[in-house]
Amino acid sequence: MSRLLAAALTVVAAAALAVGAALGIVALLDARPDQPNTPLITYEQAGQGS
């Protein structure tokens, strides 16, 4: 009976660790750095030329 309890606790602990790792990875992937929304290349529109 002790082995069965130890196996069940191991399975529960492994599942909790897997869920925690998955949530951590998702949180890291969703964290985007703040980037300015400025284009690297700009094209002049017709009528705006110098």
Side-chain angles (χ1 to χ4, degrees):
M1 188 67 177
S2 176
R3 285 186 179 181
L4 184 61
L5 181 60
L9 289 176
T10 303
V11 168
V12 169
L17 184 63
V19 169
L23 291 176
I25 290 171
V26 169
L28 284 176
L29 291 176
D30 195 35
R32 298 185 186 120
D34 292 334
Q35 297 179 357
N37 193 14
T38 54
L40 296 176
I41 300 174
T42 56
Y43 297 100
E44 291 187 16
Q45 300 292 325
Q48 287 184 351
S50 53

